[in-house]
Amino acid sequence: MKLSWLLATITGFSWTSLWYTPDQAGQQRLQQGDFQAAAETFRDPMRQGVAWFRGGEFAKAEQAFAHVAIPEAEFNRGNCLVMLGQYEAAVARYDRALELRADWDDARINRDIAVARARLVERKGADMGDQKLGADDITFEKGHKSGGQDTQVEAPALSGAEMQALWLRRVQTKPADFLRAKFAHQLATGKTGEDHP
């Protein structure tokens, strides 16, 4: 009996490995909010990227998505690069997503916002000296299910072109503002983009 327990311990045996595939175990960890463990458990690069992204590890998420050659992976790479403050690289990823899926409104909108942010950074760059602009400080509170404050967004009834023009005029340099604008647009248009992190 002791020998079998010792062998099981040495070989990394676990009860979950008997019942779950690595991706199923990773999904369970993701649902529990253990993003790092989930990312390390997943074998599917898309799922791994989602776990890293939700855990705030945007560089690792971008690398995971880079292993998949589908439009959603390119789109998600663009989102990661925006969060890292690498707007020009993000534009290239959105362009690639649009090459693979030309009619994708979310990719086009995110691309336009990333272009505007890159221009804003370029314009403000002369005033910033040797500093490099990156993402805001991102804080995750463990144990809180709410994910932050409840926010109500009131979007005026504007056409898609008017909404986009409004965004481009009010674009900020913080990823939080980028996401707030995107979610307001999704709320106003009824499109959610549920297949993305």
Side-chain angles (χ1 to χ4, degrees):
M1 184 70 163
K2 289 182 181 182
L3 180 61
S4 64
W5 179 83
L6 179 63
L7 286 174
T9 304
I10 291 172
T11 61
F13 171 79
S14 71
W15 288 107
T16 57
S17 66
L18 285 177
W19 306 110
Y20 295 119
T21 67
D23 288 337
Q24 289 171 327
Q27 186 64 34
Q28 185 178 31
R29 289 183 175 115
L30 183 69
Q31 290 171 343
Q32 294 169 348
D34 191 355
F35 303 118
Q36 181 175 349
E40 291 170 353
T41 303
F42 280 129
R43 296 296 167 251
D44 175 31
M46 286 296 288
R47 289 180 170 185
Q48 193 175 50
V50 168
W52 284 126
F53 188 94
R54 290 186 181 168
E57 296 286 343
F58 304 116
K60 290 179 181 179
E62 194 270 333
Q63 289 300 313
F65 291 130
H67 293 287
V68 185
I70 60 174
E72 291 79 6
E74 295 297 331
F75 177 83
N76 290 337
R77 287 181 72 191
N79 291 343
C80 292
L81 292 165
V82 164
M83 298 302 281
L84 292 168
Q86 299 174 13
Y87 305 117
E88 292 169 1
V91 169
R93 296 297 96 213
Y94 292 132
D95 284 342
R96 180 67 180 137
L98 288 166
E99 285 176 19
L100 297 171
R101 190 167 133 193
D103 62 338
W104 199 356
D105 290 334
D106 288 343
R108 189 170 294 108
I109 290 167
N110 285 14
R111 182 197 183 283
D112 292 344
I113 292 172
V115 166
R117 291 172 61 106
R119 287 182 188 148
L120 184 62
V121 169
E122 185 179 300
R123 213 177 19 204
K124 288 185 175 182
D127 299 334
M128 296 182 71
D130 292 339
Q131 298 177 358
K132 291 185 177 181
L133 182 64
D136 304 355
D137 289 335
I138 299 170
T139 306
F140 296 93
E141 296 181 28
K142 295 188 182 213
H144 288 77
K145 298 288 184 189
S146 66
Q149 299 176 353
D150 291 336
T151 305
Q152 293 182 353
V153 178
E154 294 182 24
L158 299 174
S159 71
E162 292 171 325
M163 180 66 78
Q164 189 173 12
L166 177 65
W167 281 359
L168 293 176
R169 282 194 305 272
R170 298 188 66 209
V171 81
Q172 302 292 321
T173 59
K174 296 180 181 179
D177 295 331
F178 170 81
L179 293 173
R180 187 177 300 112
K182 179 177 178 174
F183 295 148
H185 175 66
Q186 289 176 341
L187 182 64
T189 62
K191 296 179 183 177
T192 60
E194 293 174 352
D195 56 342
H196 314 294

